Amino acid sequence: MRLSECLNHASISTLQAIAQNLQLSCTMYSKLDLVQSILESLRNPLSLAEQLDQWHEEWGVSLRRIALHRRNVFAKEEIEHLLASAGHDTVNGLQKALAQGWLFLQNDSSRRRYYIVPKDIQMALRDDFQRRWRAQVRVRTDDPLVQVDEGMAALHDLHTLLQYVQQREVRLTASGAMYKRHVQQLMELFEVEESIELPQWRFGYGRRTYDYPDRLALLYDFAYDEGIVIERQDERLTVDPARLSDFLTLGRKTQLRRLLQFYVRTYRRPIPRLYDIMETIRLLADVWTSNTSLYAICAPQIQAFYYDQPTDVWDQRVVKMLVHLGVARIGYDDDSGERWFQITKLGQELLTQDEADLPDELTYQQAALVVQPNFEIVVMVPDARMEAQIAEFAELKSSGALRVYRILDRTVERGLSLGRDFEAWRALLATRGMAPIPVNVDRMLAEWVGRGGVQAAGLGS
Amino acid sequence: MVVFPQADGRLYVSRSLDRSGHLETNHSSLTLDDFAQPIQFFDEVTVYQVSPLRLRELARGGRSAGDVLQYLRQIAQAPIPIQVQHTIIAEMKSASLASPEPTVKVTPAAELAIDLRQEKALRAYQYNAVQAFLNGPAHGVIVLPCGAGKTVVGTAILASLRMPTLILAPNEAACEQWKQHLLAWTTLSECDLDVHADNPDKPVAIATYGRLVARDRKGQLRRLERYRQRGFALVIYDEVHTLPARWFRLTSELAAARKLGLSATLVREDGRVGDVLSLVGPVVFQTQARDLTDSGHLAPVRCVEVRVPLIGRDRQDYERGSAADKHRIAAQNPSKLDAATEICALHRAERTLVMGYYTSPLHELANRLRVPVIDGRTLHSERLRLYNEFRAGGLPVLIVSRVANAAIDLPSATIAVQLSGLYGSRQEEAQRLGRILRPNGKQAIFYSLVSDQTVEVRRAFHRQSYLVEQGYTYEIVAVDALYQGG
């Protein structure tokens, strides 16, 4: 609801209070006159700026939380709680806010009362905060030498994890965690590697934080939460094929956004203001912004959490994880120098677009892979479903900007012994390949398949 | 051009996938080759590896890590992995920190009167290799494929530096070849050369590694000691990668102002390439067979793997044998001799080189074809005579055992047949292929005979991967295809 509508719905006494507060010289008894005068005043940039200054002074951190809130409609207890953080007692505070023209009481048909901040006023508040903060942060226009940008690596590694669980027998310890050997192998396959040495005391950041390093824990918890991986009673980890295939039908950015949403949901418990922090960052860091100056802006929203000091929370739980999720990137010129922070293009999309609007640049492409004569399959256009099929007779060799699988006699044998369809797999390589399968590779494949006891094509020809 | 950077420093480059279609705007005038070198050549996707050596070279040329990263970010399809960024920065920083002392002063007294003969001209890449060494660090390795003229490059460097020089080669035949080359290419005369490591006062000495590190009856390394005291200004290590580590350490103790390593490949099955680099020096110049094939300096080669069945008694023995037996039986499969005979007949008009690991099949084949064999027992003089005859065209087929693996110039062979080998050894593979890579305009064919359904098949698979990565075409045919005239 916009300001004009809120004013139209407001009672005459509310309007009079606002007009007095704004020191308007209009007839106090004509509703039409009051509404028009108030609108005129709050739509005038100069007088609005004056009001904003006053509101800032009065409400401080409360106003910030309201401005950044994803909703503009609040229940009575909610708004009282928000206003209380500015130090006002609840009754007076509410009255005062209602008289200032940025908060309105609404009665809907069910006679429930709720409070509303007009959408255009909320936007103006947000812009105002952005302007103020902009004056405080330090930015740079040139690119830092080193840039830590993980792009869609989190999603790729999630797919690697799921593929790994699907292709191998993964056993769990009595407490339900994967054995260290598996974690080590995963780290070798992952695009982004983490140290598997964990500090002693860890909790609060998800279900398996205690067992796995942060990034893997997030990926794993997400897969578990979505019901894609299942920790079975007999201490084995498996994949629910139906859930997996449902998930993979989503666009890649949509998948990543789900992961981001899961991160916010999980980390919000230890970091209650996480959403506000991310909004602040999004408003500010569209250019390279000094990490310390950005932290200074966000600090009021960050509290210590057990062993994590506020700076740890910022560095390890917010910045590091946002980089892992591809939302932000970190840049620096040398190891000891200043760290710079920037929201990526991908991050802007993930944070602002609705799922339906997320562009998926990777629409189905016929030619997506290359079979190299040295028995490597190079996947040029990522497609998790296609790769899941490739992995039936090949194994992941390296991941990065593109993923490389290699075909070996044992991977072919393994596929056959698991009853996978070799002909369908070969057809996939042929149809999705940018070039025909090299003759020497085809020859070896025919031979390996022949050895595995399946009808061989063109053997010895 | 579309580049996909991987965390291990590999850059997958696709020229056909350029979806953008726009012209490349390259402000920095850098190219991929300035800081990476191709390691796998395929039609669709070529794989480059970020090269510390080239990065350092670039840094010495005044370019910064920022230039490289900026260029890479322009052409890359995805963010540059942090490990790759760190490598680029660290290498370029180390180069700019190190004081550039490319050349070592030579005392004028030591200068020799050596010049290249007027009529001899270097090819462009040979010239570049010579310049890279002369302007590079005091110690360095040049990697050129077999047949590309490593001896020529070494000779030209010797003539440019005009220093007392010791040349170390893997065997006597290679020493002889160096001698012939020096006489033909430079103004040196025979009396300036010491070929048997007996007279250390001559300006240029040529010796085998083995002779240099041989112990006398008292177990002393007398010869090595004498050369150490003699103090050469330049030591050339030919086929540097083939050296056993122990010899290598001994010979690398020789004090010299400059050391040059020459090699066809830096692939070692024991993975100890690092030893070579740390004991001689960094690679200062490298070129790939594929580049030289494209420019017409080397003959294009087709690799053909011929599958020969292992049957009858031999098959039974094979099935019963131990792992070592299996390898031997598969290698000595008598059916291979029939196939080799057939191949020699197919290419009657061309000169054919037959190579093998086990000598008895080689001798049997020699009897059958009535051609000579060179193996470990063949006298040195006899070897030289046979090589010369083969080179001159007097022999259509020459059969050699392992001895020919390195450092023999057999420029006229266009067909090579590999009867058996240490299939797993990529180094050996590069050597063998080198035998027939000499330029003579004709398409060369490298046959290797593999016993079907034996351990050899698996070994041949490794070799296939290596050869296709070098950009050669590779075919597998059944032996019947030969008899049908294929």
Side-chain angles (χ1 to χ4, degrees):
Chain A
M1 213 181 265
R2 301 175 58 82
L3 178 63
S4 53
E5 294 165 87
C6 288
L7 290 171
N8 281 331
H9 285 96
S11 67
I12 191 104
S13 59
T14 306
L15 295 175
Q16 284 168 340
I18 296 172
Q20 266 168 4
N21 216 332
L22 294 172
Q23 297 175 332
L24 299 179
S25 53
C26 60
T27 48
M28 287 291 172
Y29 303 102
S30 152
K31 184 167 179 179
L32 185 70
D33 227 23
L34 279 167
V35 168
Q36 277 189 335
S37 302
I38 295 170
L39 266 181
E40 217 165 274
S41 171
L42 289 183
R43 277 179 181 168
N44 176 338
L46 274 178
S47 76
L48 175 65
E50 210 173 283
Q51 293 304 315
L52 285 167
D53 281 346
Q54 202 192 324
W55 299 343
H56 268 292
E57 207 169 300
E58 196 130 11
W59 301 105
V61 71
S62 298
L63 196 66
R64 171 182 184 151
R65 288 182 60 188
I66 290 165
L68 296 181
H69 211 287
R70 71 187 103 178
R71 279 180 289 121
N72 63 333
V73 180
F74 306 93
K76 183 157 184 271
E77 300 71 28
E78 215 176 351
I79 197 75
E80 278 174 354
H81 175 75
L82 281 167
L83 293 178
S85 42
H88 292 272
D89 70 83
T90 43
V91 183
N92 282 336
L94 205 51
Q95 290 309 321
K96 200 164 196 174
L98 286 170
Q100 285 176 331
W102 59 267
L103 186 68
F104 293 86
L105 176 66
Q106 296 283 321
N107 289 310
D108 70 2
S109 50
S110 65
R111 307 189 70 77
R112 270 200 52 188
R113 296 169 135 215
Y114 57 91
Y115 293 83
I116 186 161
V117 179
K119 204 75 225 176
D120 40 351
I121 293 288
Q122 196 183 30
M123 287 307 296
L125 283 169
R126 206 177 275 210
D127 291 347
D128 188 53
F129 273 108
Q130 190 177 17
R131 244 189 327 271
R132 282 160 198 265
W133 291 330
R134 278 260 153 93
Q136 292 171 41
V137 291
R138 284 187 300 119
V139 298
R140 63 187 279 174
T141 47
D142 62 328
D143 280 337
L145 183 60
V146 183
Q147 294 169 18
V148 186
D149 184 341
E150 296 186 6
M152 301 223 79
L155 193 65
H156 298 158
D157 288 348
L158 174 67
H159 292 154
T160 304
L161 168 68
L162 297 175
Q163 218 181 69
Y164 184 89
V165 176
Q166 219 174 6
Q167 300 291 345
R168 322 223 180 170
E169 176 108 340
V170 178
R171 302 202 65 87
L172 301 173
T173 61
S175 63
M178 290 184 280
Y179 280 97
K180 213 167 189 174
R181 178 171 54 87
H182 293 303
V183 178
Q184 249 156 0
Q185 282 176 351
L186 278 170
M187 287 306 155
E188 278 160 29
L189 294 173
F190 273 8
E191 203 172 318
V192 175
E193 197 184 330
E194 287 175 288
S195 163
I196 61 171
E197 296 306 320
L198 304 178
Q200 266 297 297
W201 292 101
R202 299 157 55 81
F203 53 86
Y205 300 98
R207 188 168 161 273
R208 289 277 171 209
T209 322
Y210 188 78
D211 301 301
Y212 307 134
D214 300 330
R215 186 171 176 273
L216 174 61
L218 182 74
L219 298 177
Y220 180 92
D221 285 345
F222 173 73
Y224 181 83
D225 186 69
E226 291 273 320
I228 302 172
V229 297
I230 299 161
E231 294 169 5
R232 291 184 9 174
Q233 291 296 315
D234 59 357
E235 293 177 352
R236 277 172 47 206
L237 196 63
T238 53
V239 164
D240 179 338
R243 291 288 182 97
L244 175 62
S245 119
D246 284 351
F247 179 68
L248 293 182
T249 47
L250 300 170
R252 279 160 37 88
K253 284 184 184 164
T254 308
Q255 294 176 21
L256 188 58
R257 203 173 111 103
R258 294 261 171 105
L259 183 62
L260 174 64
Q261 287 165 336
F262 178 78
Y263 157 75
V264 178
R265 231 164 49 229
T266 311
Y267 277 55
R268 206 176 48 193
R269 273 169 233 152
I271 316 170
R273 302 275 167 275
L274 182 57
Y275 179 82
D276 291 356
I277 297 169
M278 285 170 58
E279 265 305 286
T280 311
I281 291 173
R282 188 183 71 77
L283 288 178
L284 289 178
D286 50 349
V287 289
W288 288 107
T289 307
S290 130
N291 185 44
T292 44
S293 71
L294 192 61
Y295 173 68
I297 302 278
C298 293
Q301 296 159 316
I302 300 171
Q303 266 122 45
F305 181 74
Y306 293 91
Y307 298 96
D308 282 351
Q309 292 307 304
T311 47
D312 300 331
V313 172
W314 171 255
D315 288 335
Q316 301 299 315
R317 311 299 174 190
V318 180
V319 174
K320 189 182 88 180
M321 296 312 283
L322 289 181
V323 171
H324 283 329
L325 287 160
V327 170
R329 52 183 183 169
I330 285 287
Y332 52 90
D333 295 308
D334 53 82
D335 289 335
S336 55
E338 170 94 72
R339 292 287 192 268
W340 300 84
F341 182 97
Q342 187 184 31
I343 296 281
T344 59
K345 243 172 82 186
L346 175 66
Q348 289 285 3
E349 279 176 7
L350 294 177
L351 292 174
T352 55
Q353 313 277 40
D354 283 334
E355 223 167 67
D357 298 335
L358 273 182
D360 203 351
E361 81 287 3
L362 297 164
T363 45
Y364 180 85
Q365 273 196 324
Q366 188 62 30
L369 57 84
V370 176
V371 183
Q372 304 262 72
N374 65 342
F375 297 80
E376 287 181 359
I377 304 172
V378 180
V379 178
M380 314 287 284
V381 183
D383 175 343
R385 268 180 298 173
M386 179 183 81
E387 285 181 46
Q389 201 181 342
I390 290 174
E392 289 175 352
F393 288 92
E395 67 178 19
L396 185 61
K397 184 185 168 213
S398 82
S399 58
L402 43 71
R403 288 149 69 87
V404 182
Y405 290 80
R406 86 184 135 200
I407 316 168
L408 295 166
D409 48 357
R410 63 178 161 78
T411 63
V412 172
E413 264 167 39
R414 185 198 65 205
L416 292 172
S417 71
L418 291 174
R420 311 272 190 242
D421 185 348
F422 176 80
E423 289 306 324
W425 180 80
R426 201 196 154 281
L428 175 86
L429 297 190
T431 52
R432 303 295 301 272
M434 287 164 52
I437 301 174
V439 185
N440 65 319
V441 174
D442 222 14
R443 175 68 166 72
M444 289 310 284
L445 283 176
E447 185 170 318
W448 287 336
V449 171
R451 203 170 67 193
V454 169
Q455 188 190 357
L459 182 65
S461 60
Chain B
M1 187 170 76
V2 178
V3 174
F4 298 89
Q6 302 286 97
D8 56 8
R10 289 183 174 203
L11 308 170
Y12 284 72
V13 180
S14 163
R15 283 167 220 280
S16 57
L17 195 77
D18 196 349
R19 274 166 288 180
S20 58
H22 59 67
L23 284 172
E24 276 169 46
T25 48
N26 185 356
H27 304 296
S28 49
S29 71
L30 279 170
T31 65
L32 208 52
D33 291 281
D34 290 334
F35 58 88
Q37 71 187 31
I39 53 171
Q40 295 172 13
F41 302 86
F42 299 124
D43 293 338
E44 291 297 325
V45 179
T46 298
V47 184
Y48 281 73
Q49 174 89 41
V50 171
S51 150
L53 175 79
R54 292 188 184 184
L55 284 168
R56 275 183 247 143
E57 221 164 76
L58 207 56
R60 278 193 288 269
R63 306 307 285 263
S64 70
D67 294 342
V68 175
L69 286 172
Q70 196 191 1
Y71 169 68
L72 203 49
R73 286 189 184 116
Q74 265 175 28
I75 56 172
Q77 280 299 98
I80 317 298
I82 188 70
Q83 301 91 323
V84 176
Q85 299 185 46
H86 282 153
T87 306
I88 291 172
I89 292 166
E91 292 299 340
M92 296 189 78
K93 191 187 262 175
S94 75
S96 53
L97 288 180
S99 55
E101 257 186 282
T103 44
V104 177
K105 286 193 194 86
V106 191
T107 47
E111 189 160 317
L112 303 172
I114 311 172
D115 284 301
L116 279 189
R117 287 186 192 278
Q118 295 280 313
E119 71 274 15
K120 298 292 185 185
L122 296 176
R123 297 179 193 149
Y125 69 87
Q126 292 170 337
Y127 177 80
N128 292 341
V130 172
Q131 290 305 314
F133 180 77
L134 294 179
N135 300 322
H139 306 326
V141 175
I142 291 175
V143 182
L144 288 175
C146 292
K150 283 188 290 294
T151 317
V152 172
V153 169
T155 306
I157 286 172
L158 193 156
S160 308
L161 290 174
R162 307 172 72 134
M163 295 168 165
T165 301
L166 170 63
I167 298 167
L168 292 169
N171 54 43
E172 294 292 342
C175 287
E176 180 63 28
Q177 205 172 301
W178 270 100
K179 180 181 158 191
Q180 296 307 331
H181 249 280
L182 288 173
L183 294 177
W185 278 68
T186 69
T187 52
L188 286 171
S189 65
E190 197 141 355
C191 64
D192 297 323
L193 300 175
D194 160 31
V195 189
H196 296 296
D198 291 328
N199 186 353
D201 295 330
K202 300 252 176 105
V204 175
I206 306 172
T208 63
Y209 294 103
R211 198 176 261 270
L212 190 71
V213 298
R215 288 169 194 273
D216 64 12
R217 263 167 280 159
K218 290 178 193 143
Q220 301 294 306
L221 293 159
R222 289 241 321 270
R223 207 173 265 122
L224 180 64
E225 197 49 45
R226 215 162 56 204
Y227 275 100
R228 208 181 278 159
Q229 283 163 8
R230 160 87 161 78
F232 290 95
L234 170 67
V235 179
I236 297 177
Y237 299 88
D238 192 14
E239 302 295 351
V240 67
H241 61 283
T242 58
L243 278 183
R246 186 181 57 83
W247 285 16
F248 199 80
R249 241 161 257 132
L250 286 173
T251 53
S252 67
E253 286 170 12
L254 287 165
R258 305 210 61 169
K259 290 181 183 176
L260 167 64
L262 293 172
S263 179
T265 165
L266 283 179
V267 176
R268 271 182 82 114
E269 287 312 304
D270 59 6
R272 301 182 76 157
V273 179
D275 284 6
V276 174
L277 299 186
S278 64
L279 291 171
V280 177
V283 177
V284 293
F285 185 86
Q286 179 168 18
T287 185
Q288 304 279 344
R290 172 77 168 247
D291 296 339
L292 301 184
T293 313
D294 288 349
S295 61
H297 291 304
L298 290 180
V301 178
R302 249 174 76 205
C303 301
V304 180
E305 178 180 322
V306 182
R307 290 293 176 80
V308 183
L310 181 68
I311 42 173
R313 257 309 279 281
D314 297 298
R315 171 58 73 178
Q316 289 164 14
D317 290 347
Y318 176 85
E319 297 300 343
R320 278 196 298 267
S322 68
D325 289 342
K326 278 186 168 34
H327 187 247
R328 184 180 45 77
I329 295 166
Q332 303 199 27
N333 179 359
S335 308
K336 285 185 176 180
L337 299 183
D338 301 334
T341 312
E342 188 62 31
I343 292 169
C344 291
L346 258 175
H347 299 283
R348 213 167 289 121
E350 289 160 87
R351 247 152 297 172
T352 304
L353 196 62
V354 182
M355 299 174 280
Y357 182 78
Y358 292 98
T359 45
S360 63
L362 293 178
H363 283 284
E364 209 180 317
L365 184 66
N367 285 339
R368 214 189 269 197
L369 297 174
R370 295 175 196 287
V371 293
V373 184
I374 296 179
D375 65 7
R377 278 170 300 178
T378 313
L379 288 174
H380 178 59
S381 56
E382 177 70 1
R383 281 185 204 183
L384 292 181
R385 190 185 65 75
L386 289 173
Y387 284 142
N388 280 333
E389 202 180 332
F390 184 71
R391 236 175 259 145
L395 275 175
V397 178
L398 184 63
I399 301 178
V400 293
S401 77
R402 277 191 93 189
V403 293
N405 252 354
I408 305 293
D409 200 5
L410 291 167
S412 49
T414 49
I415 305 298
V417 183
Q418 177 165 258
L419 224 48
S420 61
L422 294 171
Y423 283 109
S425 162
R426 288 171 290 172
Q427 177 199 314
E428 191 176 310
E429 217 50 64
Q431 295 290 353
R432 294 198 170 189
L433 198 52
R435 300 277 73 80
I436 52 171
L437 277 176
R438 316 292 156 124
N440 56 6
K442 273 188 186 164
Q443 157 112 51
I445 308 179
F446 186 13
Y447 290 97
S448 49
L449 307 183
V450 172
S451 293
D452 210 359
Q453 289 169 33
T454 67
V455 288
E456 278 193 333
V457 172
R458 192 179 185 121
R459 284 164 179 274
F461 174 60
H462 282 292
R463 151 180 197 278
Q464 177 184 355
S465 303
Y466 171 70
L467 291 175
V468 294
E469 278 170 15
Q470 299 296 307
Y472 300 116
T473 56
Y474 197 95
E475 298 158 47
I476 303 173
V477 299
V479 71
D480 305 343
L482 290 178
Y483 300 120
Q484 287 153 15

